[in-house]
Amino acid sequence: MSHSVTGDERTNAKLKLAAGAIGIVFGDIGTSPLYAFRETFVGPHPLALDRLHILGVVSLIFWSMTLVVAIQYVTILMRADNKGQGGSLALLALISRHIGRSKYGWITVLLGVLATSLFYGDSMITPAISVLSAVEGLTVVEKRFEVWVIPIALALLIFLFLLQRRGTAKVGALFAPVMILYFVVLAVLGLIQIAYNPGVLVALNPWYALQFFMVDKTLAFLALGSVVLAVTGAEALYADMGHFGRGPLRMSWFGFVMPALLINYFGQAAMVTSLTGAEAAEAIQNPFFIMAPDIFRLPLVILAMAATFIASQAVISGAFSVTHQAMQLGFIPRLSILHTSETEAGQIYIPFINWALMVAVILLVLTFQNSSNLASAYGIAVTGAMVIDTCLMAVLLLAVWKWKWWWAVPVIVLFFVVDGAYFAANATKIPDGGWFPLLVGAAAFTLLTTWAKGRKLMRERMTEVALPIEIFAKSAANSATRVPGTAIFMASSTAGVPSALLHNIKHNKVLHDRVVVLTVQIAEEPYVDAAKRAEIEDLGDGFYRVVLHYGFMEETDVPAALKLIDKCGGMFDMMQTSFFLSRQTLLPSEKPAMMLWREKVFSWMLRNAATAMEFFRLPTNRVVELGSQVRI
């Protein structure tokens, strides 16, 4: 009997996904109450603890969350899914499919790469500031814990990075209940304080944010640099859309997470407003933990530590996913990837990224010493990515969705003004630590663009000297000795003869009975239908050209794809198949096509890239590597 899915079952499935999303997606933005409200008053540009400034700040937080997260990301950008996937690179791929060949297409590519580069700076600072701010709660419980803050934070962070190799599937099962409890506690703490001082709710009126600017223009502008900390993690909602779907994410955001966060921010404001003098000055140093009664502060610190641990885990997993996407799209050299789950293809571990992040996070904690100092470094990467997403959104509305200009332009201008103001306010914090994510972003941008450029040039040089495969097949079939078995020659281009095939016939003077020239192509979409995976061309005389198509979110498992092919001279038996790979060595050119220092960087990246054997999951005992030399 066929079973039709009822409305109740669909709702239950959606609720389960929404609950799961709370554990994975909202950790970054969920831990912002630990430091965002505090930093506007005790950060680099402290504000007076009076009614004008407190109501002005909490009003700014409310409207920032509404405009940036609820409208820009959750309502508008979540509609821009690339076959269900979100994030800057998915958005870039979606746009490139429509305007990639236009004369301005390269600008959108650079913007997408720049947003990815800034993400790496963000993924280093998020674990450091989140865990540090939670551990600092111990000093609220007992002042003598102050000397233990950095050692405990470092121990937690090192344990977090060591955990990555084992995978997060088992720990992930605990994430949702912990984060749901955390958000409930946030709301309860906030409601208690609002009940004592409900007058703070007048800040829902944007007039109080405007009044703040009218009375204290400079400080209000500078305060935006800390207010934006309340919306960090907005891009994570968009990037993780593919894991949970647009509907469940919107349900958990509007129905649970956003109300809990806003209630807590208003609760912090209500508490500080009700205090005066020394009490208010002491409370603003850590308002999140001061809200709780003495007896509950230690459990709250432990819960906050668990929440920041989960938030950091989500950012690290995001760094692995973004790296994998960038690798597939040709911006990062091949890196060793380990799959930590037999059932979930998306759960991956990239050792190089993991250890690089761990070293950077440890150095950040030791250098900046506390979460307040780190807050100065945090905002610039987030706001930079927000401005770039707004630029890509403008292209999306006008060039892809074809909105009428009188409707699109006001929307674009609104978000450019909002995101631009946040970025400008954070730019003032560059000397105080904002330089760090910019430095990381600049280094990542240089490496990504150098690899993409060098790879393009290398392909062009190899194509220039390549023989047509059809001519080669007829000539080689009549002159070379044929031996039993199948030889697969991996080729980066779908034109010409791979250098490994030329070297093989030159030195070994034999050809296998079946010769397959195999190219793996990554599409500008996350997934490719299995039915469209393989494209086969029979060249005659036992020669075949095969092109395997993968999406940028997919794992390139070549042997698994070959086992499904039966129209290429028969099925593939891995024990009778040899894979021939080319490994290029760069030679210095008299007239290099890119600057000498970039050529040296590209050469270093090429030498240290993982082999195609690892990346394409080829059987280690069936691979032959042949070297070739290239000038670019």
Side-chain angles (χ1 to χ4, degrees):
M1 288 177 66
S2 62
H3 175 67
S4 59
V5 179
T6 65
D8 287 344
E9 287 174 329
R10 277 196 297 269
T11 303
N12 288 336
K14 200 171 179 181
L15 284 170
K16 285 180 182 177
L17 283 171
I22 291 167
I24 303 295
V25 178
F26 299 102
D28 191 354
I29 198 168
T31 53
S32 295
L34 290 168
Y35 47 81
F37 184 75
R38 177 194 73 197
E39 284 307 308
T40 56
F41 292 93
V42 301
H45 310 287
L47 299 174
L49 283 172
D50 56 31
R51 183 177 170 82
L52 169 74
H53 291 96
I54 293 169
L55 293 182
V57 165
V58 79
S59 185
L60 280 173
I61 288 174
F62 171 74
W63 287 103
S64 299
M65 203 174 284
T66 302
L67 287 171
V68 175
V69 187
I71 298 177
Q72 183 177 3
Y73 280 92
V74 178
T75 304
I76 298 177
L77 280 175
M78 272 194 185
R79 290 183 59 226
D81 63 303
N82 191 346
K83 288 199 173 178
Q85 296 299 315
S88 295
L89 284 176
L91 180 58
L92 170 64
L94 174 67
I95 292 170
S96 295
R97 286 214 305 272
H98 289 82
I99 68 161
R101 295 177 183 175
S102 73
K103 60 181 179 179
Y104 298 114
W106 63 273
I107 297 176
T108 59
V109 172
L110 283 183
L111 287 172
V113 173
L114 186 55
T116 303
S117 305
L118 288 171
F119 176 80
Y120 285 110
D122 186 20
S123 61
M124 292 172 185
I125 297 173
T126 296
I129 189 173
S130 299
V131 173
L132 254 181
S133 59
V135 179
E136 283 168 358
L138 288 171
T139 62
V140 177
V141 178
E142 175 56 66
K143 288 286 184 186
R144 286 176 294 179
F145 279 130
E146 193 165 349
V147 294
W148 292 99
V149 168
I150 290 177
I152 291 172
L154 287 175
L156 280 172
L157 288 164
I158 291 169
F159 174 66
L160 174 66
F161 284 102
L162 292 176
L163 190 70
Q164 299 307 309
R165 188 179 181 87
R166 296 180 177 272
T168 58
K170 292 179 182 176
V171 184
L174 299 171
F175 284 4
V178 172
M179 290 307 295
I180 288 170
L181 174 62
Y182 171 76
F183 282 114
V184 168
V185 169
L186 250 63
V188 170
L189 289 174
L191 284 171
I192 291 169
Q193 297 299 329
I194 293 169
Y196 285 119
N197 187 7
V200 76
L201 293 175
V202 296
L204 291 168
N205 187 336
W207 165 250
Y208 288 89
L210 292 172
Q211 190 181 34
F212 183 15
F213 274 88
M214 289 161 58
V215 173
D216 218 339
K217 296 181 183 63
T218 304
L219 280 177
F221 170 71
L222 294 172
L224 289 177
S226 298
V227 167
V228 77
L229 297 175
V231 299
T232 56
E235 66 282 357
L237 275 67
Y238 180 42
D240 285 317
M241 182 169 62
H243 297 293
F244 298 98
R246 184 189 305 148
L249 276 181
R250 284 177 173 169
M251 180 187 289
S252 52
W253 170 251
F254 287 113
F256 184 67
V257 176
M258 184 178 177
L261 289 172
L262 288 173
I263 289 169
N264 190 267
Y265 282 120
F266 276 88
Q268 291 186 44
M271 180 194 68
V272 177
T273 306
S274 64
L275 300 174
T276 56
E279 283 187 333
E282 184 182 350
I284 200 62
Q285 297 301 316
N286 228 322
F288 179 83
F289 294 106
I290 297 289
M291 275 200 297
D294 290 351
I295 194 171
F296 293 118
R297 281 181 190 166
L298 185 57
L300 180 60
V301 170
I302 294 168
L303 180 61
M305 284 185 193
T308 56
F309 194 87
I310 292 167
S312 303
Q313 171 61 59
V315 171
I316 296 165
S317 300
F320 294 157
S321 296
V322 166
T323 302
H324 183 243
Q325 287 184 38
M327 212 184 302
Q328 296 285 60
L329 291 170
F331 293 110
I332 290 180
R334 289 188 296 260
L335 297 172
S336 177
I337 296 177
L338 302 177
H339 292 264
T340 58
S341 171
E342 294 179 1
T343 55
E344 295 294 327
Q347 290 189 12
I348 58 174
Y349 167 70
I350 305 178
F352 174 79
I353 298 296
N354 189 62
W355 302 128
L357 286 178
M358 187 181 84
V359 170
V361 168
I362 290 171
L363 290 175
L364 278 168
V365 172
L366 293 174
T367 303
F368 287 88
Q369 295 286 308
N370 62 59
S371 59
S372 281
N373 292 340
L374 270 168
S376 296
Y378 196 19
I380 196 80
V382 176
T383 52
M386 280 162 50
V387 170
I388 292 167
D389 283 344
T390 302
C391 294
L392 293 174
M393 186 181 78
V395 178
L396 177 80
L397 298 184
L398 294 169
V400 180
W401 289 348
K402 309 287 186 186
W403 280 23
K404 301 295 184 184
W405 69 266
W406 60 80
W407 177 232
V409 170
V411 173
I412 294 165
V413 169
L414 170 66
F415 289 116
F416 265 122
V417 169
V418 173
D419 296 339
Y422 286 131
F423 182 75
N426 274 278
T428 64
K429 299 194 291 186
I430 290 174
D432 299 315
W435 54 267
F436 176 79
L438 292 180
L439 181 66
V440 171
F445 183 76
T446 302
L447 291 174
L448 266 62
T449 52
T450 297
W451 177 256
K453 174 79 170 173
R455 194 164 161 266
K456 179 173 175 284
L457 290 171
M458 197 164 72
R459 281 184 171 179
E460 286 174 356
R461 297 293 180 270
M462 292 170 71
T463 303
E464 286 171 6
V465 297
L467 292 170
I469 186 69
E470 294 79 9
I471 296 172
F472 174 83
K474 286 184 169 53
S475 171
N478 297 324
S479 60
T481 303
R482 306 299 283 256
V483 296
T486 299
I488 295 179
F489 294 87
M490 303 295 292
S492 58
S493 172
T494 54
V497 182
S499 59
L501 178 50
L502 292 172
H503 281 73
N504 180 58
I505 200 165
K506 178 181 176 182
H507 296 291
N508 298 327
K509 298 179 173 58
V510 294
L511 281 174
H512 288 71
D513 284 336
R514 180 168 56 167
V515 177
V516 177
V517 178
L518 177 66
T519 301
V520 173
Q521 287 192 341
I522 308 299
E524 289 181 338
E525 52 191 58
Y527 300 101
V528 170
D529 292 339
K532 299 177 182 177
R533 176 82 67 218
E535 188 182 329
I536 302 163
E537 182 184 359
D538 188 346
L539 302 169
D541 299 307
F543 281 79
Y544 298 88
R545 181 179 288 286
V546 175
V547 180
L548 295 179
H549 299 276
Y550 289 91
F552 61 76
M553 293 287 288
E554 292 184 287
E555 174 193 342
T556 47
D557 189 336
V558 168
L562 290 175
K563 285 178 183 176
L564 302 176
I565 295 176
D566 59 357
K567 297 177 182 177
C568 193
M571 302 294 286
F572 286 91
D573 179 0
M574 287 300 116
M575 296 309 295
Q576 299 296 319
T577 302
S578 298
F579 292 87
F580 290 82
L581 309 178
S582 301
R583 183 169 269 274
Q584 287 81 22
T585 302
L586 283 186
L587 294 178
S589 175
E590 293 179 6
K591 293 182 179 179
M594 59 182 178
M595 285 180 278
L596 188 60
W597 67 268
R598 288 188 79 189
E599 189 175 306
K600 288 181 177 178
V601 169
F602 176 70
S603 179
W604 170 78
M605 294 173 81
L606 190 66
R607 286 196 306 273
N608 289 282
T611 64
M613 180 181 70
E614 292 177 71
F615 190 71
F616 294 126
R617 307 193 77 179
L618 306 180
T620 53
N621 59 341
R622 307 299 304 172
V623 173
V624 179
E625 276 198 334
L626 298 170
S628 61
Q629 296 175 327
V630 182
R631 282 187 173 87
I632 61 170

